[in-house]
C-alpha cells in the first residue's frame, strides 16, 4: 500500500471511484443496439463495407462488452474511473487540493439528467461511443494543460507515439467527436506557435493521426450515401447544419433537461459573474464607462438568475 501511494494517480479518492465504477458495471443489462452486438454481430461485420458507420474502435469495444461479461466489467470500470480521475486532475491543476477535483467530477456526474444518464452510462452502446470518446478528449486536454497554463511542457521523445495513438483511436469513436478532435488539435498547434513561437512534436503527431482517422472514417460509403440522400442510408442517420435544426435541439432537449431542472446553477453563475466583476480593476475606467459597466453587469446577473425557459 505504501509503495502504491508514491504514484500520483493513487489515493483514497481513486479507490472510491473505482469501486463505484465497478458497481455500475455490475448493473448493466443488454438493451437496444446491445442485443444486435450480442446476438448476431462479429468482427467481420465491424469492418464490412456494409457496416452502418466507421466507429471501428468503439464498435470493437461494444462487441467485446456485449458478448463477454468479464470484458464488460473490466472495460467499463477502467474507462468510467478514468473519466472521473482525469477530470479531477484537470480541475485540480497545481493549486487545489485533491478533494475539490474529485468532488467536482463526481457531483457533475450526479447532475446529469436522467435521460442522458440512461442513454450514456447505462447503455453499453452509448457508453462506448460517448464515454470512451470523452476519456480520450480529456486525456489529451490533460496532456496539453501545461501549454494552456503558460508553462513550457517537457515531453519525452516517446510521448509523440502516445499522442499519435490517442488521436488515431479517439477519432474512431463517434463522428462529431472526430471533427472536434481535429478542431481542438489545430487550436493547440496555433496557440503553441502564438505563445511559445514553436510547435511541439506530440501535438503534430496528434493532429496527423486525427486527419488520417478522419479520412479513413469518412471514406466509408455510408456517409456519402447519407450526404446524397441515398434511401438505403438516409434512414439510419443524417447531417444537420441548419439553424432551425440547432434551435430545435436546443429547445427540445438542452433547455428542458439541463436548464429547467437546475435553476440553482443559474444563481451560481450569476454570483460567479458578480465576484469576477467585483475583482476587476476599474481604476482606469472613466465615470461614464464605470456607470455603463455597472448597469450592464446588473442586467446580466438579473437575466441569468431569473431566466427560466
Amino acid at each position: 500500500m505504501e509503495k502504491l501511494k508514491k504514484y500520483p494517480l493513487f489515493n483514497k479518492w481513486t479507490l472510491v471511484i473505482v469501486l463505484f465504477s465497478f458497481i455500475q458495471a455490475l448493473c448493466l443489462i443488454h438493451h437496444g443496439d446491445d442485443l444486435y452486438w450480442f446476438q448476431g454481430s462479429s468482427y467481420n461485420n465491424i469492418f464490412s463495407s456494409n457496416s452502418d458507420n466507421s466507429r471501428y474502435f468503439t464498435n470493437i469495444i461494444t462487441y467485446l462488452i456485449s458478448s463477454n461479461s468479464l470484458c464488460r466489467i473490466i472495460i467499463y470500470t477502467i474507462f468510467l474511473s478514468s473519466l472521473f480521475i482525469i477530470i479531477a486532475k484537470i480541475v485540480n491543476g497545481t493549486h487545489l487540493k485533491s478533494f475539490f477535483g474529485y468532488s467536482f467530477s463526481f457531483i457533475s456526474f450526479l447532475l446529469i439528467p436522467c435521460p442522458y444518464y440512461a442513454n450514456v452510462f447505462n447503455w453499453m452502446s452509448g457508453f462506448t461511443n460517448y464515454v470512451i470518446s470523452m476519456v480520450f478528449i480529456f486525456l489529451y486536454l490533460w496532456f496539453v494543460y501545461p501549454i494552456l497554463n503558460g508553462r513550457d511542457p517537457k515531453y519525452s521523445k516517446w510521448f509523440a507515439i502516445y499522442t499519435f495513438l490517442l488521436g488515431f483511436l479517439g477519432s474512431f469513436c463517434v463522428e462529431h467527436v472526430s471533427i472536434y478532435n481535429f478542431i481542438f488539435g489545430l487550436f493547440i498547434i496555433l496557440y503553441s506557435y502564438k505563445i511559445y513561437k514553436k510547435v511541439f512534436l506530440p501535438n503534430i503527431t496528434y493532429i496527423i493521426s486525427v486527419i488520417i482517422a478522419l479520412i479513413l472514417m469518412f471514406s466509408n460509403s455510408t456517409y456519402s450515401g447519407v450526404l446524397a440522400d441515398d434511401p438505403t442510408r438516409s434512414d439510419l442517420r443524417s447531417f444537420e447544419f441548419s439553424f432551425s435544426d440547432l434551435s430545435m435541439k436546443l429547445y427540445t432537449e438542452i433547455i428542458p433537461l439541463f436548464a429547467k431542472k437546475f435553476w440553482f446553477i443559474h444563481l451560481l453563475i450569476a454570483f460567479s459573474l458578480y465576484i469576477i466583476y467585483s475583482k476587476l480593476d476599474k481604476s482606469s475606467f472613466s465615470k461614464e464607462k464605470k456607470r455603463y459597466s455597472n448597469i450592464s453587469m446588473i442586467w446580466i446577473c438579473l437575466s441569468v438568475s431569473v431566466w427560466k425557459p
Side-chain angles (χ1 to χ4, degrees):
M1 184 66 71
E2 293 298 326
K3 291 182 179 180
L4 288 174
K5 289 183 179 179
K6 296 180 181 179
Y7 293 93
L9 288 179
F10 181 84
N11 55 52
K12 59 185 177 182
W13 304 113
T14 60
L15 293 179
V16 172
I17 287 173
V18 170
L19 179 60
F20 175 82
S21 302
F22 176 75
I23 296 173
Q24 276 282 117
L26 296 177
C27 298
L28 294 177
I29 60 173
H30 292 85
H31 63 100
D33 291 352
D34 303 337
L35 297 174
Y36 163 78
W37 294 104
F38 177 72
Q39 294 176 345
S41 186
S42 68
Y43 289 113
N44 293 331
N45 293 336
I46 293 174
F47 298 100
S48 170
S49 59
N50 296 321
S51 61
D52 295 337
N53 56 61
S54 295
R55 304 170 184 176
Y56 300 127
F57 179 66
T58 50
N59 284 349
I60 293 173
I61 301 298
T62 305
Y63 175 74
L64 286 173
I65 69 173
S66 297
S67 57
N68 188 292
S69 299
L70 181 60
C71 287
R72 176 164 62 251
I73 294 172
I74 294 174
I75 293 173
Y76 189 97
T77 302
I78 289 174
F79 278 100
L80 184 57
S81 300
S82 299
L83 182 64
F84 281 128
I85 294 170
I86 295 169
I87 292 176
K89 293 297 180 181
I90 293 173
V91 172
N92 281 333
T94 58
H95 306 290
L96 300 174
K97 295 182 179 180
S98 296
F99 176 76
F100 179 83
Y102 288 104
S103 299
F104 176 87
S105 177
F106 197 74
I107 291 173
S108 299
F109 177 80
L110 295 179
L111 290 177
I112 296 174
C114 291
Y116 280 89
Y117 185 93
N119 288 327
V120 174
F121 293 95
N122 283 353
W123 182 31
M124 297 178 201
S125 300
F127 179 86
T128 54
N129 286 329
Y130 303 114
V131 175
I132 291 179
S133 63
M134 291 305 297
V135 168
F136 281 100
I137 289 174
F138 282 115
L139 190 58
Y140 185 64
L141 178 59
W142 187 22
F143 290 159
V144 300
Y145 181 80
I147 296 176
L148 300 175
N149 202 33
R151 302 195 307 270
D152 194 344
K154 305 298 181 183
Y155 296 122
S156 68
K157 60 182 180 180
W158 300 106
F159 197 71
I161 299 176
Y162 301 150
T163 54
F164 183 90
L165 293 174
L166 185 67
F168 189 76
L169 296 178
S171 296
F172 283 115
C173 295
V174 64
E175 293 81 8
H176 66 279
V177 172
S178 303
I179 297 172
Y180 170 82
N181 287 340
F182 172 75
I183 296 173
F184 184 56
L186 181 61
F187 166 78
I188 292 298
I189 287 178
L190 295 176
Y191 182 86
S192 301
Y193 185 77
K194 174 69 176 179
I195 301 300
Y196 301 97
K197 305 304 179 183
K198 62 180 178 180
V199 179
F200 301 98
L201 180 60
N203 304 136
I204 296 176
T205 57
Y206 178 84
I207 197 168
I208 289 175
S209 66
V210 171
I211 292 173
I212 295 173
L214 281 172
I215 293 173
L216 293 175
M217 169 176 273
F218 289 106
S219 63
N220 189 320
S221 60
T222 296
Y223 301 101
S224 59
V226 172
L227 191 61
D229 291 328
D230 185 345
T232 63
R233 297 291 187 181
S234 59
D235 60 329
L236 298 174
R237 57 190 78 252
S238 61
F239 293 102
E240 303 292 352
F241 299 105
S242 67
F243 179 76
S244 60
D245 291 319
L246 297 176
S247 300
M248 183 182 71
K249 193 79 170 178
L250 175 67
Y251 283 98
T252 59
E253 294 187 29
I254 305 300
I255 289 178
L257 293 175
F258 286 92
K260 286 187 175 181
K261 296 182 180 181
F262 303 107
W263 55 267
F264 62 91
I265 292 181
H266 300 288
L267 293 175
L268 182 62
I269 293 173
F271 179 73
S272 301
L273 289 173
Y274 171 76
I275 294 298
I276 294 172
Y277 178 73
S278 64
K279 294 183 178 296
L280 181 67
D281 182 11
K282 298 182 283 294
S283 58
S284 61
F285 286 13
S286 64
K287 186 175 181 181
E288 183 177 346
K289 185 176 180 180
K290 186 179 293 186
R291 182 172 67 252
Y292 283 131
S293 63
N294 288 336
I295 293 173
S296 300
M297 193 62 203
I298 291 172
W299 276 109
I300 290 172
C301 289
L302 286 175
S303 300
V304 172
S305 59
V306 304
W307 178 76
K308 184 177 180 180

